[in-house]
Amino acid sequence: SYAAYNGYRPSGHNYINSLAPIVQGGEMNLYWLFRSHPTGHELGHGAVYSSAGVPSPIAPSIKKLAQTLDTCGDFLKETRVKSKLALTYSSTSVKNFMFAPIITKLDNFDHSFRPLIIDTFYDAFRHYNVDVIETDKDLDEYEIILAPLLSCFDDCGFGERVTKWVENGGTLIAGPLSDIMTDYAAKHTDKTYSILEELGGIKVKHHLPVEQDNFKAKWTQGGEFFDISLGCDAYDCVDSECLATYEGFDLEGMCAISKRKVGKGTVIILGTAPDKKALLKLIDKDPIADASQNVFLTKREGDENIICALEIEGKCGYVMLDKEYCDILGKKTVSGKVEIEPYGALFLKEI
């Protein structure tokens, strides 16, 4: 990190954030910097050791990380993260929204897109295995693909490939603010979306990329209300089912979320971003385990399956286990509600 700007992190923060990418399938982690340069413009960056070789306050955390990897290394090498759920993250969309931000939450040059994707979508899946993919990634290994803020569906032929993937049984959840631009940040002039209207069986009635705190939405089945954000596109359901409608002002009763069967698969179009509870309802998949929201879970599979639980907010957390597991780091058997210390980690092997 740029220490002069960011300062130092709380005790344990570097440990858990260095461990997280390895747990989630990464093969290495780069320290910027491990030892500080003796001269030059990089001197403002933080480092594990100073130019003179003096350890920084985070050095014990890095030593703890090495000990954890030494203890759990064999289990990590012999298992893999297998995800049936993917979330798109397009470099073309980053550039499009950089030059044409559309909504205020994207109006921070190149520093808006990533935190918005994380806060609004990725964070909902802290208890699920989820891959973050570019548009050129092969889609066949996934059952569900979320494509929010995917401004250009022509990117790497994604639109054509995802259509075939849906016809073969996949579930696409697209929007909001998806399929609304070319790859050079220009809006379509003959229709609002390039393919999603036809694919989703909808007609865009209103295209409103605005932030309105006083808008809500509700499920057509059950009538439960939920919070929304990132625009309010409203639809006529031409050949689709309305799952949720808007509540408030001129959009009252108009379709906010639609669903359509396409071949063996399903297309769900989001005119707005539902809150995390509503998003999980659309996914309709069981989590790896029940856990507090400050705990990140990853399941790794192999000859022996492992659940990795990381506390990422610096406060006490827990995971609920429905059977006995071996705590590899603590070298004990655990079950039921298992507490996790701030910035702590559990590696749980099925017994």
Side-chain angles (χ1 to χ4, degrees):
S1 69
Y2 186 53
Y5 180 81
N6 294 317
Y8 282 98
R9 301 293 189 247
S11 177
H13 180 276
N14 288 67
Y15 166 75
I16 211 67
N17 280 276
S18 298
L19 186 59
I22 306 298
V23 163
Q24 292 177 260
E27 296 186 358
M28 63 176 63
N29 201 350
L30 172 67
Y31 282 95
W32 191 265
L33 303 160
F34 193 84
R35 182 166 177 164
S36 183
H37 289 291
T39 186
H41 65 283
E42 300 290 359
L43 289 176
H45 285 284
V48 182
Y49 290 89
S50 73
S51 306
V54 177
S56 75
I58 69 164
S61 291
I62 306 308
K63 183 177 180 180
K64 180 182 177 182
L65 171 66
Q67 293 169 339
T68 297
L69 293 176
D70 186 53
T71 301
C72 302
D74 288 341
F75 295 102
L76 291 172
K77 286 187 290 186
E78 294 166 4
T79 57
R80 292 291 182 270
V81 178
K82 298 180 180 179
S83 304
K84 295 299 182 182
L85 171 65
L87 172 68
T88 61
Y89 188 98
S90 163
S91 56
T92 299
S93 294
V94 173
K95 291 185 290 184
N96 276 355
F97 288 123
M98 184 189 303
F99 298 112
I102 296 182
I103 59 173
T104 56
K105 288 182 179 179
L106 287 167
D107 193 16
N108 187 20
F109 200 53
D110 61 340
H111 301 299
S112 303
F113 189 86
R114 179 175 176 271
L116 195 58
I117 287 286
I118 292 173
D119 294 343
T120 311
F121 299 97
Y122 186 78
D123 264 0
F125 303 103
R126 289 187 175 189
H127 302 156
Y128 296 76
N129 282 4
V130 55
D131 285 353
V132 178
I133 63 171
E134 253 286 11
T135 49
D136 61 350
K137 178 75 163 63
D138 182 75
L139 309 177
D140 290 342
E141 63 189 274
Y142 303 111
E143 295 177 357
I144 301 172
I145 294 176
L146 282 86
L149 280 74
L150 185 58
S151 61
C152 176
F153 257 56
D154 291 335
D155 195 24
C156 299
F158 179 80
E160 182 179 349
R161 291 187 296 111
V162 81
T163 298
K164 292 178 180 178
W165 172 82
V166 168
E167 291 171 346
N168 290 328
T171 296
L172 171 67
I173 303 176
L177 300 179
S178 294
D179 194 28
I180 60 172
M181 295 183 190
T182 67
D183 59 356
Y184 50 89
K187 297 293 288 289
H188 305 293
T189 57
D190 56 341
K191 49 194 169 185
T192 307
Y193 306 150
S194 70
I195 69 167
L196 284 182
E197 287 185 81
E198 182 178 353
L199 186 61
I202 58 169
K203 181 67 177 177
V204 177
K205 192 169 185 177
H206 297 294
H207 176 52
L208 300 173
V210 295
E211 292 291 328
Q212 290 286 351
D213 294 336
N214 44 12
F215 277 112
K216 284 187 176 290
K218 72 173 181 178
W219 298 110
T220 53
Q221 296 292 324
E224 183 181 358
F225 287 88
F226 56 90
D227 293 328
I228 58 176
S229 62
L230 306 186
C232 300
D233 282 8
Y235 308 129
D236 283 331
C237 292
V238 179
D239 183 24
S240 59
E241 173 190 359
C242 179
L243 297 183
T245 58
Y246 289 106
E247 295 295 314
F249 298 104
D250 295 335
L251 299 185
E252 185 82 25
M254 295 184 189
C255 181
I257 302 175
S258 68
K259 177 181 179 181
R260 184 192 185 209
K261 292 293 292 181
V262 177
K264 297 178 182 178
T266 303
V267 175
I268 296 174
I269 308 294
L270 306 180
T272 186
D275 63 28
K276 293 170 185 176
K277 180 181 177 182
L279 189 58
L280 290 175
K281 182 175 181 176
L282 288 172
I283 296 297
D284 194 26
K285 294 287 185 182
D286 292 331
I288 296 167
D290 183 23
S292 54
Q293 190 57 29
N294 58 315
V295 170
F296 200 103
L297 300 180
T298 303
K299 184 175 182 180
R300 299 181 62 98
E301 299 179 47
D303 292 338
E304 296 180 301
N305 295 334
I306 300 174
I307 293 177
C308 307
L310 308 180
E311 197 293 305
I312 61 174
E313 295 182 7
K315 56 189 180 183
C316 292
Y318 68 86
V319 59
M320 296 292 298
L321 304 176
D322 57 2
K323 55 185 175 182
E324 289 189 340
Y325 285 78
C326 174
D327 175 2
I328 298 171
L329 290 176
K331 298 180 180 179
K332 59 184 179 182
T333 299
V334 293
S335 62
K337 185 176 183 179
V338 182
E339 302 288 342
I340 307 176
E341 65 182 4
Y343 293 129
L346 293 175
F347 289 79
L348 305 166
K349 182 179 71 172
E350 290 183 9
I351 296 178

Coordinates of all heavy atoms in Angstrom, one line a residue, residues 73-108:
G73 N -0.4 -26.0 3.8 CA 0.0 -26.0 2.4 C -0.4 -27.2 1.7 O -0.8 -27.1 0.5
D74 N -0.2 -28.4 2.3 CA -0.6 -29.6 1.6 C -2.0 -29.7 1.3 O -2.4 -30.1 0.2 CB -0.2 -30.8 2.4 CG 1.4 -31.0 2.5 OD1 2.0 -30.5 1.6 OD2 1.8 -31.7 3.4
F75 N -2.9 -29.2 2.2 CA -4.3 -29.2 2.0 C -4.7 -28.3 0.8 O -5.6 -28.6 0.0 CB -5.1 -28.9 3.2 CG -4.9 -29.9 4.3 CD1 -4.0 -29.6 5.4 CD2 -5.6 -31.1 4.3 CE1 -3.9 -30.6 6.4 CE2 -5.5 -32.0 5.4 CZ -4.6 -31.8 6.4
L76 N -4.0 -27.1 0.8 CA -4.3 -26.1 -0.2 C -3.9 -26.6 -1.6 O -4.6 -26.4 -2.6 CB -3.6 -24.8 0.1 CG -4.2 -24.1 1.3 CD1 -3.3 -22.9 1.7 CD2 -5.6 -23.6 1.1
K77 N -2.7 -27.3 -1.7 CA -2.2 -27.8 -2.9 C -3.0 -28.9 -3.5 O -3.1 -29.1 -4.7 CB -0.7 -28.2 -2.8 CG 0.2 -27.1 -2.7 CD 1.7 -27.5 -2.7 CE 2.0 -28.3 -1.4 NZ 3.5 -28.6 -1.3
E78 N -3.6 -29.7 -2.6 CA -4.4 -30.9 -3.0 C -5.9 -30.7 -3.2 O -6.6 -31.6 -3.5 CB -4.2 -32.0 -2.0 CG -2.7 -32.5 -1.9 CD -2.4 -33.3 -0.7 OE1 -3.4 -33.6 0.1 OE2 -1.3 -33.7 -0.5
T79 N -6.3 -29.4 -3.1 CA -7.7 -29.1 -3.2 C -7.8 -27.9 -4.2 O -6.9 -27.2 -4.5 CB -8.4 -28.7 -1.9 OG1 -7.7 -27.6 -1.3 CG2 -8.4 -29.9 -0.9
R80 N -9.1 -27.7 -4.7 CA -9.3 -26.7 -5.7 C -10.6 -26.0 -5.3 O -11.5 -26.6 -4.8 CB -9.4 -27.2 -7.1 CG -8.1 -27.7 -7.7 CD -7.1 -26.6 -7.9 NE -5.9 -27.1 -8.5 CZ -4.8 -27.5 -7.8 NH1 -4.9 -27.4 -6.5 NH2 -3.7 -27.9 -8.4
V81 N -10.7 -24.7 -5.7 CA -12.0 -24.0 -5.5 C -12.8 -24.2 -6.8 O -12.4 -23.9 -7.9 CB -11.7 -22.4 -5.4 CG1 -13.1 -21.7 -5.3 CG2 -10.9 -22.2 -4.2
K82 N -14.0 -24.8 -6.6 CA -14.9 -25.1 -7.8 C -16.1 -24.2 -7.6 O -16.9 -24.4 -6.7 CB -15.2 -26.5 -7.8 CG -14.0 -27.4 -8.0 CD -14.4 -28.9 -8.1 CE -13.2 -29.8 -8.3 NZ -13.5 -31.2 -8.4
S83 N -16.3 -23.3 -8.5 CA -17.5 -22.4 -8.5 C -18.5 -22.7 -9.6 O -18.1 -22.9 -10.7 CB -17.0 -20.9 -8.6 OG -16.0 -20.6 -7.6
K84 N -19.7 -22.6 -9.2 CA -20.8 -22.7 -10.2 C -21.5 -21.4 -10.5 O -22.3 -21.3 -11.3 CB -21.9 -23.7 -9.7 CG -21.4 -25.2 -9.6 CD -20.9 -25.7 -11.0 CE -20.5 -27.1 -10.9 NZ -20.0 -27.6 -12.2
L85 N -21.0 -20.4 -9.7 CA -21.5 -19.0 -9.8 C -20.4 -18.1 -10.3 O -19.3 -18.2 -9.8 CB -22.0 -18.6 -8.5 CG -22.4 -17.1 -8.3 CD1 -23.6 -16.8 -9.1 CD2 -22.8 -16.9 -6.8
A86 N -20.7 -17.2 -11.3 CA -19.6 -16.3 -11.8 C -20.2 -14.9 -11.8 O -21.4 -14.7 -12.0 CB -19.2 -16.7 -13.1
L87 N -19.3 -13.9 -11.6 CA -19.7 -12.5 -11.6 C -18.8 -11.8 -12.7 O -17.6 -11.9 -12.5 CB -19.5 -11.9 -10.3 CG -19.6 -10.3 -10.1 CD1 -21.1 -9.9 -10.4 CD2 -19.2 -9.9 -8.8
T88 N -19.3 -11.2 -13.7 CA -18.5 -10.6 -14.7 C -17.9 -9.3 -14.2 O -18.5 -8.6 -13.4 CB -19.3 -10.3 -16.0 OG1 -20.4 -9.4 -15.7 CG2 -19.9 -11.5 -16.6
Y89 N -16.7 -9.0 -14.7 CA -15.9 -7.8 -14.4 C -15.2 -7.4 -15.6 O -14.2 -8.0 -15.9 CB -15.0 -8.0 -13.2 CG -14.4 -6.7 -12.7 CD1 -14.9 -6.0 -11.6 CD2 -13.3 -6.2 -13.3 CE1 -14.3 -4.9 -11.1 CE2 -12.7 -5.0 -12.9 CZ -13.2 -4.3 -11.8 OH -12.6 -3.2 -11.3
S90 N -15.7 -6.5 -16.4 CA -15.2 -6.2 -17.7 C -14.3 -5.0 -17.7 O -14.7 -3.9 -17.3 CB -16.4 -6.0 -18.7 OG -16.0 -5.4 -19.9
S91 N -13.1 -5.1 -18.3 CA -12.2 -3.9 -18.4 C -12.8 -2.9 -19.4 O -12.6 -1.7 -19.3 CB -10.8 -4.4 -18.9 OG -10.9 -5.1 -20.1
T92 N -13.6 -3.4 -20.4 CA -14.3 -2.5 -21.3 C -15.3 -1.7 -20.5 O -15.4 -0.4 -20.8 CB -15.0 -3.3 -22.4 OG1 -14.0 -4.0 -23.2 CG2 -15.7 -2.3 -23.4
S93 N -16.0 -2.3 -19.6 CA -17.0 -1.5 -18.8 C -16.3 -0.5 -17.9 O -16.8 0.6 -17.7 CB -17.8 -2.5 -18.0 OG -18.6 -3.4 -18.8
V94 N -15.2 -0.9 -17.4 CA -14.4 0.1 -16.5 C -14.1 1.3 -17.3 O -14.3 2.5 -16.9 CB -13.1 -0.6 -16.0 CG1 -12.3 0.5 -15.3 CG2 -13.4 -1.7 -15.1
K95 N -13.6 1.1 -18.6 CA -13.3 2.3 -19.4 C -14.6 3.0 -19.9 O -14.6 4.3 -19.9 CB -12.5 1.8 -20.6 CG -11.1 1.3 -20.3 CD -10.3 1.0 -21.6 CE -10.9 -0.3 -22.2 NZ -10.1 -0.7 -23.4
N96 N -15.6 2.3 -20.2 CA -16.8 3.0 -20.7 C -17.4 3.9 -19.6 O -17.7 5.1 -19.8 CB -17.9 1.9 -21.0 CG -17.7 1.5 -22.5 OD1 -16.9 1.9 -23.2 ND2 -18.6 0.5 -22.8
F97 N -17.5 3.4 -18.4 CA -18.0 4.2 -17.3 C -17.1 5.2 -16.7 O -17.5 6.1 -16.0 CB -18.5 3.2 -16.1 CG -19.8 2.5 -16.5 CD1 -19.8 1.1 -16.4 CD2 -20.9 3.1 -16.9 CE1 -21.0 0.4 -16.7 CE2 -22.1 2.4 -17.2 CZ -22.1 1.1 -17.1
M98 N -15.8 5.0 -17.1 CA -14.8 6.1 -16.7 C -15.1 7.3 -17.5 O -15.0 8.4 -17.0 CB -13.4 5.6 -17.0 CG -12.3 6.5 -16.5 SD -10.6 6.0 -17.1 CE -10.5 4.3 -16.4
F99 N -15.4 7.1 -18.8 CA -15.6 8.3 -19.7 C -17.0 8.7 -19.8 O -17.3 9.8 -20.2 CB -15.0 8.0 -21.0 CG -13.5 7.8 -21.0 CD1 -13.0 6.5 -21.3 CD2 -12.6 8.8 -20.7 CE1 -11.6 6.3 -21.3 CE2 -11.3 8.6 -20.6 CZ -10.8 7.3 -20.9
A100 N -17.9 7.8 -19.4 CA -19.4 8.1 -19.4 C -20.0 7.5 -18.2 O -20.7 6.5 -18.2 CB -20.0 7.5 -20.7
P101 N -19.8 8.2 -17.0 CA -20.2 7.6 -15.7 C -21.7 7.4 -15.5 O -22.1 6.5 -14.8 CB -19.6 8.5 -14.7 CG -19.4 9.8 -15.4 CD -19.1 9.4 -16.8
I102 N -22.5 8.2 -16.2 CA -24.0 8.0 -16.2 C -24.6 8.3 -14.8 O -25.6 9.1 -14.7 CB -24.4 6.6 -16.7 CG1 -24.0 6.5 -18.2 CG2 -25.9 6.4 -16.5 CD1 -24.5 5.1 -18.8
I103 N -24.1 7.6 -13.7 CA -24.7 7.9 -12.4 C -23.6 8.4 -11.5 O -22.4 8.2 -11.7 CB -25.3 6.6 -11.8 CG1 -24.3 5.5 -11.7 CG2 -26.5 6.1 -12.6 CD1 -24.7 4.2 -10.9
T104 N -24.0 9.1 -10.4 CA -23.0 9.8 -9.5 C -22.1 8.8 -8.9 O -20.9 9.1 -8.6 CB -23.8 10.6 -8.5 OG1 -24.7 9.7 -7.7 CG2 -24.6 11.7 -9.1
K105 N -22.5 7.6 -8.6 CA -21.7 6.6 -7.9 C -20.5 6.1 -8.8 O -19.6 5.4 -8.3 CB -22.5 5.4 -7.4 CG -23.4 5.7 -6.2 CD -24.2 4.5 -5.7 CE -25.0 4.9 -4.5 NZ -25.8 3.7 -4.0
L106 N -20.6 6.4 -10.1 CA -19.5 6.0 -11.0 C -18.7 7.3 -11.4 O -17.7 7.1 -12.1 CB -20.1 5.4 -12.3 CG -20.6 4.0 -12.1 CD1 -21.4 3.6 -13.4 CD2 -19.5 3.0 -11.9
D107 N -19.0 8.4 -10.8 CA -18.3 9.7 -11.2 C -17.1 9.9 -10.4 O -17.0 10.9 -9.7 CB -19.3 10.8 -11.1 CG -18.8 12.1 -11.8 OD1 -17.9 11.9 -12.6 OD2 -19.4 13.1 -11.6
N108 N -16.1 9.0 -10.4 CA -14.9 9.2 -9.7 C -13.7 8.7 -10.5 O -12.9 7.9 -10.1 CB -14.9 8.5 -8.3 CG -13.7 8.9 -7.5 OD1 -13.0 9.8 -7.7 ND2 -13.4 8.0 -6.5

